[in-house]
Amino acid sequence: MGHVILITGGCRSGKSAFAQQLAEETGDQLLFLATSPPLDREMQERIRLHREERAHRGWQTVEEQQCPARIIRESPPGATILLDCLTLWINNMLYLAEKEGKLLDEKTVRGKAEELLLTCRERPGTVIMVTNEVGLGIVPENRLARRYRDLVGRCNQCIGREADEVYLVSCGVPLKLKG
Amino acid sequence: MGHVILITGGCRSGKSAFAQQLAEETGDQLLFLATSPPLDREMQERIRLHREERAHRGWQTVEEQQCPARIIRESPPGATILLDCLTLWINNMLYLAEKEGKLLDEKTVRGKAEELLLTCRERPGTVIMVTNEVGLGIVPENRLARRYRDLVGRCNQCIGREADEVYLVSCGVPLKLKG
Amino acid sequence: MGHVILITGGCRSGKSAFAQQLAEETGDQLLFLATSPPLDREMQERIRLHREERAHRGWQTVEEQQCPARIIRESPPGATILLDCLTLWINNMLYLAEKEGKLLDEKTVRGKAEELLLTCRERPGTVIMVTNEVGLGIVPENRLARRYRDLVGRCNQCIGREADEVYLVSCGVPLKLKG
């Protein structure tokens, strides 16, 4: 029922701007679902400014670091949701797991991604997800970075295979991969 | 005569799954040519499981770390060969060269790639090669990592220019670049 | 008035070779605008060889590390200019700023990119710019590398959005993203 769009690209590739533009063309009721933890004061200030700037264009912002599916489930049917971004969500889950001495493996992430997709399907309306490509550089020496890279790739694959539309953004230019 | 397909993408982008699917659609006799060295017990176990799982789908697996061209030359004409992956092959050659105090330069790698291509051309049947994009991140500080990145890029260029088909896989979605 | 082409890709992806080929198909008067600082003797020698090799194919080479717009402004109208590459230009500006204890931020880089574009527009002829994707790996631990990555991404976005044509090169194969 719900429509799922995945947007990928590198750091500062213009993927978030394209995602917002796509959302604004899609719907009237706009929900920005932020997964970003406000790490330091500079980051907090930046997030606040982005939030205000979006509010002027009709967006409501909700923050959820661990369970974006819950927010999607509880959001008004028909509203266009922009989940920005999957990589920070994976990062938050990995951080929590490490803190609790647990292992976040690819199977668990696949389960989480499938739950997220199912939630989007059960709810009328469009969900646009932003992610990052993080696996196109040299294998990182840091063990946790390697795990993160694997988990993000796994999540992107799961979502990308099921999504109705997939875009790759490079140099501010979106390329439709699917849909 | 032989048909060459190159599949590139990032870590966990779904490129190997796509390559296997393509091979299974292409031929009846399937040969998996693994270049991966079994580095530790965990890796060995993972490789064994992958191998068994492929065997159920009709694949035969051969391992060759230094000279995949030899295996291709000696394999049954018409069999569909999946070489997974070029990056590990480069890695193996670089490792051996360093151990012997020799320099593996771009010219040598270009020669090796051309030999590989020629072997594929001389033999009837399809060879699918999987590779990685490793040059889309920040320049690595480690000297050997920089060399590896240059060599992989050079090899990918040589193969990609001559290949009949080239695909880029992102988020589990293949994009045809050529063919 | 002027025509702008942006070519992106990873390290050793074949982007410079494609850019030169495109330029040679475009015009008779060919100007290579190099932003690369000759860092060491090996690099100097490599640059000299490239320069000589291009000269045989009719190219004139000019080096400018900080202000490529100035060279473009002063070059003969109608000449085809190949600016190789934007990433080294950003690197040079960042290096100078750090040395002078100044901050090179995204706003400044956007201004510089816009100035460059305006210069290309005001002059009859084609300008081909080569850049790198550097934001598709793991977030670098090094602060300066993170800043560099952000600045390159920002510059690429600005140029890519306004360019008449944008290409992504992977494994020696160009993919048209726009134009």
Side-chain angles (χ1 to χ4, degrees), chain B residues 137-161:
Chain B
I138 283 291
V139 180
E141 287 176 31
N142 179 304
R143 184 193 62 85
L144 206 56
R146 279 202 304 278
R147 175 170 296 277
Y148 171 70
R149 200 170 89 121
D150 286 348
L151 297 177
V152 166
R154 179 61 60 193
C155 176
N156 286 351
Q157 265 191 61
C158 289
I159 306 284
R161 285 218 177 89

Side-chain angles (χ1 to χ4, degrees), chain A residues 9-164:
Chain A
C11 160
R12 295 289 188 282
S13 62
K15 55 196 189 313
S16 288
F18 173 65
Q20 290 181 36
Q21 182 197 320
L22 212 61
E24 290 170 14
E25 289 166 10
T26 303
D28 296 326
Q29 204 179 345
L30 302 168
L31 188 71
F32 191 91
L33 174 42
T35 55
S36 169
L39 290 168
D40 53 28
R41 198 173 287 186
E42 191 192 321
M43 186 85 163
Q44 282 175 26
E45 181 59 15
R46 216 172 123 180
I47 287 176
R48 199 186 57 78
L49 286 172
H50 278 303
R51 193 179 182 136
E52 277 185 16
E53 184 253 326
R54 279 194 308 269
H56 288 130
R57 299 188 341 260
W59 288 83
Q60 191 200 335
T61 298
V62 182
E63 277 168 30
E64 172 55 48
Q65 293 172 32
Q66 297 290 336
C67 192
R70 189 178 58 79
I71 305 292
I72 293 171
R73 208 174 292 125
E74 294 169 0
S75 68
T80 301
I81 300 174
L82 173 47
L83 169 52
D84 194 345
C85 61
L86 294 176
T87 31
L88 280 169
W89 174 46
I90 302 284
N91 189 60
N92 298 339
M93 288 195 293
L94 184 60
Y95 182 79
L96 191 65
E98 287 285 314
K99 223 177 70 180
E100 293 176 348
K102 290 180 193 160
L103 181 76
L104 186 70
D105 60 10
E106 292 188 39
K107 205 178 148 185
T108 308
V109 162
R110 198 169 51 206
K112 295 277 185 186
E114 282 163 4
E115 183 204 354
L116 184 62
L117 275 168
L118 197 68
T119 309
C120 295
R121 292 305 186 196
E122 285 172 350
R123 178 191 157 275
T126 296
V127 177
I128 302 174
M129 301 181 195
V130 173
T131 194
N132 265 68
E133 290 284 334
V134 299
L136 293 157
I138 284 290
V139 179
E141 287 176 32
N142 179 304
R143 184 192 63 84
L144 206 56
R146 280 202 304 278
R147 175 170 296 278
Y148 171 69
R149 199 170 90 121
D150 286 348
L151 297 177
V152 166
R154 180 60 62 191
C155 176
N156 286 351
Q157 265 191 60
C158 289
I159 306 284
R161 286 217 178 89
E162 296 301 319
D164 301 290

Side-chain angles (χ1 to χ4, degrees), chain C residues 6-176:
Chain C
L6 180 66
I7 296 171
T8 190
C11 160
R12 295 288 188 282
S13 62
K15 55 196 188 316
S16 289
F18 173 65
Q20 290 182 35
Q21 182 196 320
L22 212 61
E24 289 170 14
E25 289 166 11
T26 303
D28 296 325
Q29 203 180 347
L30 301 168
L31 187 72
F32 191 91
L33 174 42
T35 56
S36 170
L39 290 168
D40 53 30
R41 197 174 288 188
E42 191 192 321
M43 186 85 164
Q44 282 176 26
E45 181 58 16
R46 215 172 125 180
I47 288 177
R48 197 187 58 79
L49 286 171
H50 278 302
R51 194 180 181 136
E52 276 185 16
E53 184 252 325
R54 278 194 308 270
H56 288 129
R57 301 191 334 264
W59 288 83
Q60 190 200 337
T61 298
V62 182
E63 276 169 30
E64 172 55 49
Q65 292 172 32
Q66 296 289 336
C67 192
R70 188 178 58 79
I71 305 293
I72 292 171
R73 208 173 291 126
E74 294 169 3
S75 67
T80 300
I81 300 173
L82 173 47
L83 168 53
D84 194 346
C85 60
L86 294 177
T87 32
L88 280 169
W89 174 46
I90 302 284
N91 189 60
N92 299 339
M93 288 195 294
L94 184 59
Y95 181 80
L96 191 65
E98 287 285 315
K99 223 175 72 178
E100 293 176 349
K102 289 180 192 159
L103 181 76
L104 186 71
D105 60 11
E106 292 189 38
K107 205 178 149 186
T108 308
V109 162
R110 198 168 52 207
K112 296 276 185 187
E114 282 162 5
E115 183 204 354
L116 184 62
L117 275 168
L118 197 67
T119 309
C120 295
R121 293 303 186 198
E122 284 171 350
R123 177 192 158 276
T126 296
V127 178
I128 302 175
M129 301 181 194
V130 173
T131 192
N132 266 69
E133 290 283 334
V134 298
L136 293 156
I138 284 289
V139 179
E141 287 176 31
N142 180 304
R143 185 192 63 82
L144 206 57
R146 280 202 303 279
R147 175 170 297 276
Y148 171 68
R149 199 170 90 122
D150 287 347
L151 297 177
V152 167
R154 180 60 61 192
C155 176
N156 286 351
Q157 265 190 61
C158 288
I159 307 285
R161 286 218 177 89
E162 296 300 320
D164 301 290
E165 299 174 41
V166 180
Y167 293 88
L168 171 67
V169 182
S170 171
C171 301
V173 183
L175 173 76
K176 202 171 209 176

